[in-house]
Amino acid sequence: GENVEQHPSTLSVQEGDSAVIKCTYSDSASNYFPWYKQELGKGPQLIIDIRSNVGEKKDQRIAVTLNKTAKHFSLHITETQPEDSAVYFCAALFPGGGADGLTFGKGTHLIIQP
Amino acid sequence: DGGITQSPKYLFRKEGQNVTLSCEQNLNHDAMYWYRQDPGQGLRLIYYSQIVNDFQKGDIAEGYSVSREKKESFPLTVTSAQKNPTAFYLCASSQGPYSYNEQFFGPGTRLTVL
């Protein structure tokens, strides 16, 4: 099955700086890569996603890049703000894997220092 | 408001007791999921259901049971056979499997075994 590795597990950046979270996946057939943000005591929420036919996608301060050859994808947050502090999860969807085809990374705790 | 709800938010159980966690969605989604979240472990799939009256085991189904008698409801029972049930449980739903469907998460239930 698919395996998703996520790094780092904890990331601390100064407010206003950029943050980058990286994920690698094992199955080259995976074709959909969502990113979720989870605030303390709440369920995860989708913040951005990318499909395998696209190399980069941007939504205001958030961007995701995908390198299919290297089988890795990254989340970029620019001009970080205190409300960006949360746990971020990447995931990869293996087609034909059924409803359990979405595999999550273990999460990155992003801390924005004032 | 359309969304997915879970109740209760906090649940305490004595060892040896079964307990049922509620999950309801009014998004008219076909697929529903249960995940378990432990610190540093990410999200692990317990059970999923693609359609009413059908459900499949995920990666960690032992000690859990589910039912899907109605499209909008997918309750999870944590049985006394689950060796380490203390965790944060997340329910999710999506329009359907096998495609790029966003999974919407509920707010979660924190279960503590005393």
Side-chain angles (χ1 to χ4, degrees), chain A residues 12-92:
Chain A
S12 181
V13 301
Q14 292 291 324
E15 182 178 349
D17 288 351
S18 295
V20 181
I21 302 170
K22 298 180 180 180
C23 289
T24 60
Y25 59 99
S26 58
D27 198 314
S28 58
S30 292
N31 58 8
Y32 172 62
F33 307 91
W35 285 90
Y36 285 83
K37 175 183 180 182
Q38 185 178 26
E39 296 177 347
L40 192 62
K42 297 183 179 180
Q45 280 195 302
L46 181 74
I47 55 171
I48 196 167
D49 56 13
I50 192 168
R51 301 181 185 184
S52 59
N53 58 347
V54 175
E56 183 174 0
K57 184 176 178 181
K58 192 172 182 180
D59 182 4
Q60 299 182 344
R61 295 187 297 109
I62 294 172
V64 57
T65 58
L66 172 65
N67 183 327
K68 286 193 295 181
T69 302
K71 290 189 284 186
H72 68 72
F73 57 111
S74 301
L75 178 71
H76 305 253
I77 305 174
T78 59
E79 300 172 12
T80 53
Q81 299 169 4
E83 54 264 37
D84 294 330
S85 293
V87 178
Y88 292 80
F89 292 96
C90 63

Side-chain angles (χ1 to χ4, degrees), chain B:
Chain B
D1 282 339
I4 181 164
T5 58
Q6 292 184 243
S7 61
K9 189 173 178 64
Y10 298 97
L11 189 57
F12 298 89
R13 188 195 93 178
K14 292 182 180 178
E15 278 193 38
Q17 288 182 338
N18 292 355
V19 64
T20 297
L21 282 59
S22 169
C23 177
E24 303 276 332
Q25 54 96 1
N26 61 2
L27 300 166
N28 200 31
H29 285 169
D30 288 315
M32 296 187 75
Y33 315 80
W34 274 105
Y35 292 91
R36 172 180 170 139
Q37 187 175 25
D38 297 282
Q41 290 294 318
L43 280 68
R44 292 184 290 170
L45 184 67
I46 303 172
Y47 267 99
Y48 65 95
S49 169
Q50 300 169 12
I51 199 168
V52 174
N53 293 322
D54 180 68
F55 49 83
Q56 306 294 331
K57 292 182 179 179
D59 299 323
I60 55 166
E62 185 176 351
Y64 300 97
S65 66
V66 294
S67 63
R68 187 83 188 277
E69 298 176 0
K70 298 187 295 182
K71 186 176 186 177
E72 57 269 23
S73 178
F74 191 40
L76 173 74
T77 297
V78 184
T79 74
S80 56
Q82 168 51 233
K83 296 284 186 276
N84 185 21
T86 295
F88 190 52
Y89 290 87
L90 287 160
C91 180
S93 70
S94 68
Q95 199 163 12
Y98 307 111
S99 65
Y100 310 117
N101 290 310
E102 175 184 353
Q103 289 192 17
F104 291 82
F105 284 85
T109 292
R110 186 165 297 280
L111 173 65
T112 302
V113 174
L114 304 173

